[in-house]
Amino acid sequence: MEKIFKLDEEDEYYVPFSRLAENLDLRNLIEKLTVNLLRLAVTELPADVKKALKDAYRKERNPIGKIQLKAILENIQLAEEERIPICQDTGLISFYVKVGSEFRGLSKIEEALIEGVKRATVEIPLRPNAVNPFTQRNTDNNTGRHVPCIHWSIIDGNYLEITAFPKGGGSENMCALRILKPAEGLSGLKRFIIESVVNAGGMPCPPTIIGVGVGGTSDMAMNLAKKALLRPINKSHSDPFIAELERDLLRAVNSTGVGPMGLGGDSTALALKIEYAHRHPASYPVAIAFQCWAARRATARVYSDGRVECLSHKDRNLV
Amino acid sequence: MKKIELHTPISEKNIRKLNVGDRVFLSGTIITARDSAHRRMMKYIAEKRSIPFPLEGMALYHCGPLVKAHGDEWLVLAAGPTTSMRMEPFEAEIIENLGVRLIIGKGGMGGKTREAMKRYGAAYAAFTGGAAVLAAKRIKRVIDVKWLDLGLPEAVWIFEADRFGPLIIGIDSYGRSLYEEVRAKTLRRLNRIVEDRDL
């Protein structure tokens, strides 16, 4: 016996009756998915990042920079073949979760994500990276107060979308926020971005992806800068003015000569992405978020009936 | 760009042969230390206690590896470098008191370490940040681990390495720093960008 679900205009699909939500152990499904998403994220870069790194290697003219990019490409291949984390710093774990308003099982998601992180720490393994800032104790399982960091958003639809975003400490340490004077405006913004890249030098493991958040409140600016890092490399901002600003700033940043690992060269950033919000008349917040070349992310969509689809990597079975 | 094979223990003479930009492959003993291990070494130096691992002529690696227990042994899965600048407050004294010859890390170090390297005969070698599986492949075994109470990443791991690299000499024993040279150049370019665009 089969039942038809209608997802959107084009996508009609069939689900056997036995797999319907009543019988589904959504809690376990999401926990298992969390482990597998983290495994995929830390061992295999998305295709857009791999392509950008290969292009950077081809174009790099500085011999030391070229050695760095070659080591990076070899490392990516080894990690992928042997299913070992690309970098020993498997990051402080963040999740970006979009929940469809019609998705059933909302109450189970957070618990499943946290348990999934604990399991992933042992099973993959991940380096234990959650430390109490006052006692300096490591929890040894990558969870703790407000960790993993879970960013929720509510969307239309009957599905759940989880992005696992393990981000290393080296690039995170270079993130910066400045509240510009509104009079400084666009040129102040450009100057702040280029200065930040030069000041960061090799610390965030260039070639980086640079996320820029403009406007809103101070916390929103940084949040937008981080969200900009989630956008695929080949995707420009939908607003042509912002898209041109992204291209222009990327060219400027790559003309600084910081180069791979800050040892000099042409490839300082693989991409630069901007997101913005409207601002207060008195404030012009600009946030810059650096992502190291090991720009790890993996995204999956879960439907209420338990069907799982991998969005970040092609043809992956995640549960 | 010269290509050089180094073995531990490294003599001062061999360190003095290295110049900024040289490509090095290192074999022998590599000892990891991050922030907490550095702080503890400093405490031991202050209290004149002997440190439970040999550093004379050795390579100190800024690294918190990803390891896995396998029976009685440890397997090193991923072992790329961490940001060396965090160790800047300690490294000059470590070089002076413990006779370390080679510091391996990423991102470079500051003036205090550069001066200690010049004075006592040591160098800084960069390993590609994030290339952690490549690094682990060159680590043949874990000889020992000390100070495990600091936690897995912060513990001191003593590795046997075979042709660990490619390493790029970022600071040599003559006071030259590739990082400072690149930085000076990038600052000049920054000024030009700001002028050209009237920012």
Side-chain angles (χ1 to χ4, degrees), chain A residues 220-266:
Chain A
M220 187 188 273
M222 186 54 83
N223 199 10
L224 288 170
K226 285 286 181 71
K227 275 194 176 155
L229 297 176
L230 300 174
R231 202 193 314 152
I233 285 184
N234 47 15
K235 233 174 144 184
S236 299
H237 197 280
S238 55
D239 179 332
F241 175 78
I242 308 287
E244 181 46 38
L245 185 60
E246 289 177 347
R247 282 191 290 273
D248 181 48
L249 276 171
L250 179 64
R251 272 194 300 270
V253 156
N254 279 329
S255 69
T256 59
V258 170
M261 300 315 302
L263 292 165
D266 306 308

Side-chain angles (χ1 to χ4, degrees), chain B residues 2 4-27 29 55-60 95 99-104 113-126 167-176:
Chain B
K2 275 192 296 180
I4 293 161
E5 300 276 343
L6 268 184
H7 295 263
T8 61
I10 311 165
S11 64
E12 184 175 349
K13 196 178 132 211
N14 281 338
I15 279 296
R16 298 280 183 200
K17 283 180 191 164
L18 304 175
N19 291 293
V20 154
D22 284 347
R23 195 154 49 117
V24 170
F25 290 88
L26 177 73
S27 299
T29 309
L55 283 170
E56 183 79 41
M58 293 301 165
L60 193 68
I95 291 167
V100 175
R101 289 284 178 217
L102 194 69
I103 302 287
I104 304 170
T113 304
R114 175 175 38 70
E115 281 310 300
M117 287 178 161
K118 188 175 166 185
R119 186 146 178 208
Y120 301 103
Y124 177 88
L167 299 166
I168 300 291
I169 298 300
I171 305 171
D172 64 22
S173 62
Y174 298 98
R176 263 189 79 186

